[in-house]
Amino acid sequence: MTQANRKPFVGGNWKMNTDSAAALSLIDGVASGLKNDAVDVAVFPPFVYLREMSDKTSGSDMLVGAQDCWFESNGAFTGEISIEMLKDCNVKTVLTGHSERRHVIGESDQLVNKKTKAAIAGGMIAVLCVGEKLDQREAGQTDAINESQIKAGLDGVSQSDMSSVVIAYEPVWAIGTGKTATPEDAQDAHAKIRALIATMYDQSTADSTRIIYGGSMKPGNANELMAMPDIDGGLIGGASLVADDFLAIINAGQPQSV
Ligand code: 13P
């Protein structure tokens, strides 16, 4: 199966950026520039703006997502946000295991796994983020790190649940640095991830799972990255904060343009 059989997914991870006014104007800019539904488009604003963003996009195909979640439904978890609360805000997708959660906040593979399973059980698309740090890349450990994060992150996730999972390969050294993996290196990592999914589940699950790239994806490099057969879209940080740049990346993901 080729990329053409998987609907591209392009997400904008706003991280801890925008304020209320900037978030509203950014989502307006993105919504007004979307041309068709050939690409699944999601934005991941800060928690506090989720309801406003969902209200703004209700009736459109754009998905509003959360950057994180907690795995219990309610209770004494000060500062945390449950999947139920996210659903209440019409959130449809959630990032799990983003590298900043893993390496700045200190989340373990086990916690990422609980969050991923909670997101799937709640009917969300879980975007499981994986990727190696610079020293791991230099030590030739890229595929081993991806494998261990994916195996741990998907522990207990059934084959049928895999239709609710998108995998984001985000090499940590490429995030926010302006350094992008070459299309060939990114393709190689994606192909290995797809082969891993085939061994964990089966070939048809591997063929239908979307694997997206993140790490300094910009309008200037999105076309060549997304033209690769195993790169099914992108998870965009900095460039998703500028509506025109994000729209240009979404356009690069259109199946007919690759
Ligand atoms: P940048 O696009 O800013 O490198 O961020 C990528 C990312 O972390 C998306 O989740």
Side-chain angles (χ1 to χ4, degrees):
M1 186 184 275
T2 65
Q3 190 184 34
N5 303 88
R6 295 181 289 272
K7 188 174 184 188
F9 184 105
V10 175
N13 176 7
W14 296 1
K15 307 192 179 183
M16 200 177 73
N17 291 299
T18 69
D19 56 18
S20 182
L24 283 168
S25 114
L26 180 52
I27 204 139
D28 274 346
V30 174
S32 63
L34 283 181
K35 294 201 184 70
N36 57 50
D37 64 357
V39 176
D40 280 340
V41 176
V43 291
F44 297 85
F47 280 132
V48 288
Y49 306 128
L50 284 174
R51 181 181 288 281
E52 257 176 307
M53 298 302 109
S54 294
D55 288 350
K56 268 273 174 191
T57 53
S58 72
S60 85
D61 289 323
M62 204 193 315
L63 303 172
V64 171
Q67 299 172 17
D68 185 28
C69 65
W70 191 245
F71 61 88
E72 302 276 6
S73 331
N74 60 277
F77 302 101
T78 302
E80 295 297 342
I81 306 287
S82 70
I83 294 290
E84 281 68 18
M85 292 167 182
L86 295 176
K87 284 167 78 171
D88 198 26
C89 293
N90 274 321
V91 166
K92 308 284 189 214
T93 175
V94 59
L95 304 181
T96 60
H98 189 277
S99 79
E100 287 139 26
R101 303 290 321 167
R102 292 178 189 268
H103 302 304
V104 181
I105 315 291
E107 289 193 9
S108 66
D109 275 329
Q110 289 66 35
L111 181 55
V112 173
N113 175 243
K114 285 181 179 167
K115 292 181 174 189
T116 303
K117 287 193 289 197
I120 296 168
M124 306 247 168
I125 297 174
V127 181
L128 172 64
C129 306
V130 301
E132 83 286 4
K133 297 198 279 187
L134 183 60
D135 57 328
Q136 295 167 327
R137 179 174 198 84
E138 287 171 345
Q141 296 168 342
T142 298
D143 299 325
I145 295 292
N146 286 340
E147 178 169 341
S148 73
Q149 291 182 349
I150 289 170
K151 280 190 168 157
L154 295 179
D155 187 33
V157 173
S158 70
Q159 180 174 348
S160 62
D161 284 343
M162 282 300 289
S163 58
S164 304
V165 173
V166 171
I167 293 177
Y169 168 58
E170 300 203 292
V172 180
W173 50 270
I175 294 177
T177 58
K179 290 184 199 151
T180 316
T182 64
E184 293 73 23
D185 282 351
Q187 162 60 24
D188 186 59
H190 282 232
K192 301 250 173 56
I193 290 171
R194 199 174 305 287
L196 172 67
I197 302 291
T199 65
M200 291 170 63
Y201 297 94
D202 61 15
Q203 192 60 47
S204 101
T205 306
D207 286 341
S208 54
T209 299
R210 290 172 296 182
I211 306 171
I212 64 177
Y213 171 82
S216 298
M217 194 185 267
K218 310 244 177 287
N221 60 26
N223 267 309
E224 52 177 9
L225 283 160
M226 290 202 248
M228 291 288 152
D230 288 293
I231 300 182
D232 306 315
L235 188 57
I236 324 302
S240 75
L241 298 171
V242 179
D244 285 347
D245 286 356
F246 189 53
L247 287 165
I249 295 171
I250 294 165
N251 276 337
Q254 306 267 347
Q256 64 270 25
S257 72
V258 295

